[in-house]
């Protein structure tokens, strides 16, 4: 699994959230408190919006805790909207192309989770990506495939509906192949203006996701990064969060229709899940 952080609000240096807190994202890359995998050492990435519509992007396959370039950038970049992500690969290569966040035009996306049995349905999942969008496919991860498939389905009009549609189609592909492992989805998406976050899983064990309202902004994170635990709100499962330029937080139900979802059953023997996914 991975750890992620998104910020929308008054411009601030990325280091204030990514590096300086006692349990910052960089600290979580070495010791995460609420992740299935304690160490997130398979890559790091940041995406931010400056004076252009398209985001800036830095991704590196080395661990965040040893990336001097990451620290230098976070101390210099000041932005009112940015993403940051540390990766623990679960089925695809630990390469720069597979590091989050992923970008296409003005859009940014990052994900914590997996498609169970992805290797068996990868070609079918990629077929959900429209030919117009497919040239943006640079890596091999399931996360990037979800992002581009959502962009293929009119994401700009209704992001939550687009991701719910894609997740429902993926669960259908799993069912057709007899895959019982879950789809797990905690993710953030933005078009450079509105920040969207999602928490859902086909087995009712969705990855952690938290919301913190600041005086001048909002943070979405996989886990709290400081000691002010009461200031962090757990995003309920099967919910989406949207935050616009006005700073208003809206929380709504999210996920595929029940008819589209087959329950993914854990393989209890040996304490592991049947089929590995691949963020």
């Amino acid at each position: 699994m991975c750890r992620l952080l998104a910020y929308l609000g008054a411009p601030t240096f990325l280091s204030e959230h990514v590096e300086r807190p006692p349990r910052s994202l960089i600290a979580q890359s070495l010791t995460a408190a609420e992740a299935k995998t304690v160490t997130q050492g398979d890559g790091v990435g940041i995406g931010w919006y400056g004076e252009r519509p398209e985001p800036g992007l830095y991704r590196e396959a080395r661990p965040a805790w040893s990336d001097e370039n990451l620290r230098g950038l976070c101390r210099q970049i000041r932005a009112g909207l940015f993403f940051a992500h540390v990766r623990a690969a679960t089925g695809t290569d630990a390469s720069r192309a597979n590091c989050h966040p992923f970008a296409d035009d003005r859009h940014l996306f990052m994900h914590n989770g997996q498609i169970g049995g992805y290797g068996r349905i990868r070609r079918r999942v990629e077929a959900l990506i429209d030919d117009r969008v497919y040239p943006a496919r640079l890596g091999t991860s399931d996360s990037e495939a979800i992002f581009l498939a959502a962009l293929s389905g009119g994401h700009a009009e209704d992001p939550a509906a687009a991701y719910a549609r894609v997740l429902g189609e993926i669960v259908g592909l799993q069912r057709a192949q007899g895959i019982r492992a879950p789809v797990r989805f905690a993710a953030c998406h933005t078009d450079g203006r509105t920040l969207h976050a999602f928490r859902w899983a086909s087995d009712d064990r969705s990855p952690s996701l938290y919301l913190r309202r600041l005086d001048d902004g909002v943070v979405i994170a996989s886990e709290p990064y400081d000691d002010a635990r009461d200031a962090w709100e757990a995003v309920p499962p099967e919910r989406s969060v949207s935050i616009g330029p006005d700073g208003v937080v809206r929380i709504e139900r999210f996920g595929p229709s029940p008819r589209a979802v087959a329950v993914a059953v854990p393989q209890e023997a040996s304490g592991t899940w049947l089929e590995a996914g691949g963020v």
Side-chain angles (χ1 to χ4, degrees), residues 14-270:
L14 274 62
S15 59
E16 294 298 312
H17 300 276
V18 177
E19 181 188 14
R20 291 189 60 185
R23 284 184 287 279
S24 69
L25 197 68
I26 293 178
Q28 290 173 32
S29 71
L30 191 57
T31 309
E34 299 189 25
K36 182 178 178 181
T37 304
V38 174
T39 303
Q40 324 291 313
D42 295 318
V44 63
I46 54 175
W48 69 95
Y49 291 85
E51 298 181 10
R52 298 179 185 275
E54 300 82 13
L57 196 64
Y58 171 79
R59 300 189 296 173
E60 180 54 63
R62 68 189 302 181
W65 66 77
S66 64
D67 190 340
E68 299 85 358
N69 290 328
L70 172 68
R71 294 178 185 271
L73 288 169
C74 287
R75 292 171 186 175
Q76 295 296 326
I77 296 172
R78 185 182 179 94
L81 174 55
F82 63 83
F83 283 6
H85 187 279
V86 292
R87 183 174 186 247
T90 57
T92 51
D93 293 341
S95 65
R96 182 180 297 168
N98 284 337
C99 290
H100 309 220
F102 303 100
D104 182 58
D105 192 35
R106 69 183 189 277
H107 298 279
L108 271 181
F109 172 82
M110 58 183 176
H111 173 224
N112 171 32
Q114 65 183 37
I115 297 175
Y118 179 59
R120 291 170 55 185
I121 58 172
R122 173 180 165 183
R123 184 174 62 82
R124 293 174 176 85
V125 172
E126 290 194 333
L128 302 176
I129 304 172
D130 188 87
D131 288 345
R132 175 184 57 83
V133 179
Y134 196 84
R137 176 73 156 154
L138 301 179
T140 58
S141 74
D142 53 354
S143 300
E144 185 186 38
I146 292 171
F147 169 49
L148 296 177
L151 287 182
S152 300
H155 181 281
E157 288 72 27
D158 191 340
Y163 281 108
R165 174 188 58 80
V166 170
L167 293 172
E169 291 178 341
I170 289 171
V171 170
L173 294 174
Q174 287 182 317
R175 185 165 59 241
Q177 293 297 312
I179 297 170
R180 301 167 67 195
V183 176
R184 292 179 178 165
F185 187 73
C188 293
H189 182 108
T190 184
D191 60 1
R193 287 181 52 81
T194 302
L195 170 59
H196 302 276
F198 309 96
R199 186 181 180 203
W200 180 84
S202 63
D203 65 346
D204 297 324
R205 296 178 62 181
S206 50
S208 60
L209 198 66
Y210 291 85
L211 164 72
R212 182 169 181 181
R213 306 168 200 251
L214 306 173
D215 291 339
D216 54 0
V218 179
V219 177
I220 299 286
S222 294
E223 58 186 71
Y225 58 47
D226 58 23
D227 296 324
R229 187 79 187 193
D230 292 344
W232 294 86
E233 308 168 36
V235 175
E238 300 183 5
R239 294 294 187 276
S240 67
V241 180
S242 64
I243 306 136
D246 57 3
V248 175
V249 177
R250 298 173 177 83
I251 301 177
E252 299 178 337
R253 292 199 64 85
F254 169 76
S257 65
R259 183 177 300 177
V261 177
V263 175
V265 179
Q267 183 76 13
E268 297 294 350
S270 75

